[in-house]
Amino acid sequence: DLGPVEREQVRREIGVPVSVSADAQPVPGKWRNVPVIIDGIRFASKREARRYAELKIELQSGDITDLKLQKRFAIRVNGVHVCDYIADFVYYRQGIRVVEDANGKAPDVYKIKRALMRGIHGIKIVEV
């Protein structure tokens, strides 16, 4: 487990780029988030992009496996599709699946989906 200083050092050493798209000016979203592009992947916020950079390091070091971004989970009640929950990251740590969301403020809709994920799928979302 690396501390924040060590993680930043590793990021610099392996050259993890963090940049905003050159063809468009970043526009803050409803929650004051600024979109960021890393490895050609657009992230909704700096927080999500930083977390991706951390997870990428952990993936390269073998601490986690099978990293997926924007994994969709269908939420069905009595066979009726109610909505989808899209996790920011899903990966395995020591053989255990981790479903993660990089939230700053949790909107009410997210809180409902979080509860549905726990109740229907038995998945507790890790928030970073």
Side-chain angles (χ1 to χ4, degrees):
D1 291 306
L2 301 174
V5 173
E6 292 83 6
R7 284 179 194 239
E8 188 59 35
Q9 227 174 4
V10 170
R11 273 192 216 104
R12 280 194 305 270
E13 287 178 17
I14 65 170
V16 174
V18 176
S19 65
V20 176
S21 175
D23 60 338
Q25 290 295 329
V27 178
K30 178 179 178 180
W31 303 101
R32 313 286 297 153
N33 57 310
V34 176
V36 176
I37 295 176
I38 300 178
D39 297 339
I41 304 165
R42 183 184 185 278
F43 294 93
S45 67
K46 291 178 184 177
R47 177 189 312 265
E48 189 178 339
R50 275 193 307 268
R51 185 59 184 149
Y52 168 73
E54 292 169 355
L55 290 172
K56 186 176 170 184
I57 292 168
E58 291 189 47
L59 184 65
Q60 291 171 346
S61 70
D63 292 339
I64 66 170
T65 60
D66 200 26
L67 177 62
K68 304 273 189 253
L69 286 69
Q70 301 296 304
K71 169 87 168 121
R72 184 178 299 270
F73 292 86
I75 298 176
R76 297 182 174 278
V77 178
N78 296 329
V80 176
H81 181 261
V82 176
C83 61
D84 288 330
Y85 168 71
I86 302 172
D88 290 334
F89 309 104
V90 176
Y91 55 89
Y92 288 84
R93 184 182 302 278
Q94 298 177 344
I96 298 169
R97 181 171 66 175
V98 178
V99 177
E100 192 172 281
D101 204 285
N103 268 340
K105 291 186 176 183
D108 292 339
V109 171
Y110 167 76
K111 292 176 185 177
I112 293 167
K113 289 182 179 185
R114 178 182 61 197
L116 287 167
M117 285 288 288
R118 182 69 179 241
I120 293 169
H121 294 296
I123 295 173
K124 182 177 182 191
I125 299 168
V126 176
E127 297 169 357
V128 293

